[in-house]
Amino acid sequence: MTKPALDRVDVASLESFPASDSPAHGSTYPDRAPAAAPTVSANDSGQTESIWMSTPVPDFAVPPLPATARDPDVLVVGAGISGLSVARALRARGVDVMVLDHGPVGGGQTARTSAHLSSALDDRFYLLQKHFGAAGAKLAAASHTEAIAEIERTVQALGIACDFRRVDGYLFTDDDARGQAELERELPAAQAAGLDASYEARAPLPFDTGRCLKFAGQAEFHPLAYIRGLAESFVTTGGTIHTGVSVTKIAGGERPAATLADGRVIHARAIVDATGMGISSRFDIPIRCAAYRSYVIGVVMPAGDVPHALYWDTEEPYHYLRMTTGADGQEVLLVGGGDHRVGQGNPDEAWAALELWVRARFPMAGNVVTRWSGQISEPADALALIGALPGHPGVFIVTGDSGNGLTHGVIAGMILPALIEGEPHPWAELYAPARSKLHGLGTLLHEAIVSNVPFRDWISPADVGSVDEIEPGTGATVRRGVHLLAVYRDDAGTCHAFSARCPHLEGAVRWNAGEKSWDCPVHGSRFDAHGVVMNGPCAVDLPSAEMPTKT
C-alpha cells in the first residue's frame, strides 16, 4: 500500500471553530474529516484544569461510533500522545487505524503534564547503567533524544503552532552535600550515555542553586496544541477517531478483541493499549508499575526574570520547573512536585508546600493562577513498558511513563508500528514488557508492600459515621453493615452511593478532595465523584449501592 501524504496542519486556524456545549462530547468529524471541525476544551468535570486545558481540541464524539462500524486493521485505545503517535505512524504506513477514547483527545494525562521534553531522565543514568548496563543506558538516552527530535520534525512538517522551543536543562541541589554527591555520580553516567552534559557554577535562577549539571538539547512545548495537530493530521490522512467510547476489556488471541461498555465487540489484527496505566493486564503490569500523583502550581512572574529552561532539583520528593505564557500573555512559572502514591497523600498540603517553596526562593513571584495534579506510572526499573503484552497475542501496550510520558509516548510511536508489522526495532528489547523483573527488584518489592498496606481499610473505621456528616461537594466512606460505601454529596445536597470496592483488585477507594475523585491506593485506578472510571488499570465504573440508613 502507498503511504498517505502527511499534509500540513494550520493548527492556529482551529481556534476559530465553535466549542461544544459539553466538555467531553459534541459534534465531530465523519470518518473523513471536513475542512473544519467542532472543538472542545479538554477538562474533567469537577476537577482541576491545567494551564493547557483552555486550548480547544477537535471533538470526535458525535456522531457516535456506528453500530455497524467496521473492524479496523489496528485498533488504538487512548487518544493521548502515545495513542496518536502510534496511530499516525501506522497510518503513514498505509495501515487502516481506528482510535477510541472515553474522553476527549488529549484529555487524560497528556493534558496534565508540565510539558518537559527531556532526555535527562528523572531516573538517573547511573541507575539505568546498573539496571540495563552501559549499552542499555546509551539506548535510553538515544531514544529520548530522538523522540524530542521527532516532535521537532513533526512540528515543522505540519506547521503546528505549539510554542516548541529548544532549551537547556539544569539539575541543581541547593548546594547540599547529598545532592552534590548525586551530581558527581550522574555526570559521568550521562556523558557515557551520550548526553551533552556539563558542570555549571549555578543554574540561571534568581537564587543560588550552587554547582549544577547542565543538559543541552532539551525542549518545551504546549502539549494540547501539539496533540490537536496530530489528531488533525491523522484524520486528514484517513484515520478514524471516536471519543466518548468506553472500552471495558481488551483480549488477545487469533482475533484480538475490545469490548465496549455497551457490549459491542471490535476485532482487529492488533490492539494497542495506550490508556496510560493500562487496562489490558490485570496482574502483571500493575504490580510492575506504581501509581503516583504529582502536583503543579503556576505563579505569575515578571517578564524575563526566569529564563526559559527545564529545571529540576534533587530533593525528595523533587521539584521541577519551567516557564510558559498564560492565556492573558503573562509569564507563568510552573512548579511541580509533592509526588505521593495515589490515594495516600493530601492534595491541599502538596499544593501549599509547593507555594511555600516558591515564595522562599522567588520573592518577585506574583499570584498563583493555576494548580492541578496528574498521574505518573513508575515502573520498578525506571523505563516504560512498550511492546507486545506477554500472554496476550496481538495486544501491544505502552505504560510506565516514569515522569517522561511525552517522550515515552513518542518512542512508542516509533517502536510499536514496527513490531505490529513484524519488523525489528533497535529499542524494542530495552522497553519490552517481557523483560526481566530482576531489574529494580528491590523497588518492585518495596512498592508491592506499599500497595498492600491500604487493604487494611476494609477493617478500619470509615471516614464518617453517617452520611449526615458529608458536606455538599465532598465525599467520604461510610459503613453499611459489613460493607464499605463511597458516598458523594453533590452541590444540591443529593447523596450518591457506590461500592467502595475497586473492581480491579478490590482495594478500598479513598476520596480525593483536591480532584473530587475516588482513588484506589492499591494500583492507582481512579473514578470521578459519580463513580465513573477515569484511570486504569480498572476499566469499569464503581457499582452503585443502596444508601446506608441514617444514624
Side-chain angles (χ1 to χ4, degrees):
M1 289 180 288
T2 59
K3 296 182 180 180
L6 299 181
D7 300 334
R8 288 179 62 85
V9 177
D10 183 7
V11 175
S13 68
L14 295 179
E15 297 285 3
S16 62
F17 296 158
S20 166
D21 292 334
S22 164
H25 307 293
S27 300
T28 184
Y29 302 138
D31 285 355
R32 297 297 178 263
T39 57
V40 297
S41 295
N43 61 53
D44 299 313
S45 178
Q47 299 185 334
T48 60
E49 294 187 11
S50 75
I51 198 168
W52 321 117
M53 292 168 76
S54 61
T55 296
V57 292
D59 181 26
F60 302 89
V62 177
L65 178 68
T68 56
R70 56 176 174 71
D71 290 338
D73 194 29
V74 176
L75 177 67
V76 176
V77 183
I81 193 167
S82 298
L84 288 178
S85 295
V86 173
R88 182 172 175 270
L90 283 166
R91 187 70 204 119
R93 290 168 170 257
V95 178
D96 176 28
V97 186
M98 177 188 292
V99 177
L100 301 180
D101 200 305
H102 69 107
V105 166
Q109 299 314 307
T110 300
R112 293 183 168 274
T113 174
S114 61
H116 288 223
L117 296 174
S118 177
S119 57
L121 303 183
D122 290 353
D123 297 284
R124 306 286 179 248
F125 278 93
Y126 65 80
L127 292 176
L128 292 176
Q129 284 183 349
K130 177 182 177 182
H131 294 328
F132 300 100
K138 195 167 185 176
L139 281 179
S143 60
H144 285 271
T145 298
E146 180 60 18
I148 298 171
E150 174 64 14
I151 291 173
E152 185 172 26
R153 287 192 294 267
T154 302
V155 168
Q156 293 172 350
L158 301 182
I160 303 176
C162 63
D163 298 327
F164 179 89
R165 181 194 307 230
R166 285 283 187 172
V167 296
D168 294 324
Y170 295 90
L171 177 63
F172 64 93
T173 70
D174 278 352
D175 211 22
D176 66 289
R178 182 194 63 81
Q180 287 297 334
E182 185 163 349
L183 299 189
E184 290 174 5
R185 294 183 68 186
E186 179 65 0
L187 179 61
Q191 290 174 332
L195 295 185
D196 184 354
S198 60
Y199 268 125
E200 292 288 322
R202 56 173 290 174
L205 290 169
F207 61 92
D208 188 4
T209 64
R211 193 170 62 156
C212 67
L213 297 188
K214 174 184 174 182
F215 297 89
Q218 313 303 295
E220 62 183 34
F221 73 160
H222 187 306
L224 280 189
Y226 179 76
I227 278 294
R228 79 184 168 182
L230 289 189
E232 174 75 1
S233 171
F234 172 66
V235 174
T236 298
T237 56
T240 304
I241 300 175
H242 292 284
T243 57
V245 179
S246 295
V247 175
T248 59
K249 182 179 179 181
I250 296 173
E254 185 175 340
R255 294 184 68 211
T259 303
L260 309 186
D262 62 9
R264 286 184 290 172
V265 177
I266 295 178
H267 293 277
R269 174 168 61 89
I271 298 179
V272 177
D273 181 350
T275 60
M277 300 298 292
I279 62 172
S280 51
S281 171
R282 186 169 174 81
F283 299 105
D284 184 44
I285 298 301
I287 67 172
R288 297 177 67 176
C289 297
Y292 280 78
R293 298 300 291 175
S294 191
Y295 298 85
V296 181
I297 63 171
V299 185
V300 174
M301 295 290 292
D305 276 24
V306 180
H308 278 259
L310 308 184
Y311 305 94
W312 317 271
D313 68 16
T314 59
E315 292 186 25
E316 292 290 344
Y318 80 111
H319 300 88
Y320 47 95
L321 302 78
R322 60 157 288 195
M323 294 297 297
T324 191
T325 303
D328 56 3
Q330 290 181 308
E331 289 287 293
V332 177
L333 175 66
L334 301 181
V335 181
D339 299 11
H340 62 73
R341 284 291 297 266
V342 170
Q344 302 186 37
N346 185 309
D348 286 330
E349 291 179 359
W351 283 314
L354 288 177
E355 184 171 0
L356 285 173
W357 189 89
V358 171
R359 300 293 178 202
R361 291 162 177 79
F362 297 85
M364 73 292 290
N367 294 331
V368 174
V369 293
T370 183
R371 71 177 194 175
W372 73 87
S373 67
Q375 190 130 323
I376 296 171
S377 174
E378 286 287 356
D381 59 10
L383 287 181
L385 303 169
I386 303 170
L389 184 61
H392 299 71
V395 177
F396 299 80
I397 192 168
V398 48
T399 189
D401 57 87
S402 192
N404 296 99
L406 297 173
T407 44
H408 271 137
V410 176
I411 289 168
M414 301 177 188
I415 295 176
L416 293 187
L419 299 185
I420 289 169
E421 294 299 281
E423 302 168 4
H425 194 282
W427 306 334
E429 184 177 353
L430 180 69
Y431 290 102
R435 67 180 183 256
S436 173
K437 294 182 177 66
L438 296 179
H439 303 311
L441 181 60
T443 300
L444 188 152
L445 294 175
H446 168 75
E447 295 290 2
I449 293 170
V450 175
S451 293
N452 282 295
V453 169
F455 281 112
R456 294 183 304 187
D457 287 359
W458 290 115
I459 58 174
S460 300
D463 295 333
V464 296
S466 166
V467 294
D468 293 337
E469 300 176 50
I470 302 174
E471 298 292 329
T474 67
T477 56
V478 184
R479 289 283 177 191
R480 191 191 71 199
V482 298
H483 300 288
L484 188 66
L485 303 184
V487 180
Y488 170 65
R489 186 185 295 276
D490 63 28
D491 291 334
T494 302
C495 285
H496 309 267
F498 314 91
S499 169
R501 189 183 300 273
C502 175
H504 175 235
L505 290 181
E506 302 190 346
V509 297
R510 296 173 179 174
W511 178 247
N512 178 337
E515 296 290 356
K516 290 192 174 183
S517 63
W518 297 103
D519 298 357
C520 180
V522 178
H523 288 129
S525 298
R526 298 181 63 244
F527 310 82
D528 72 12
H530 293 275
V532 177
V533 67
M534 297 188 299
N535 289 108
C538 188
V540 297
D541 302 341
L542 292 177
S544 296
E546 182 181 339
M547 282 290 295
T549 302
K550 295 184 179 181
T551 58

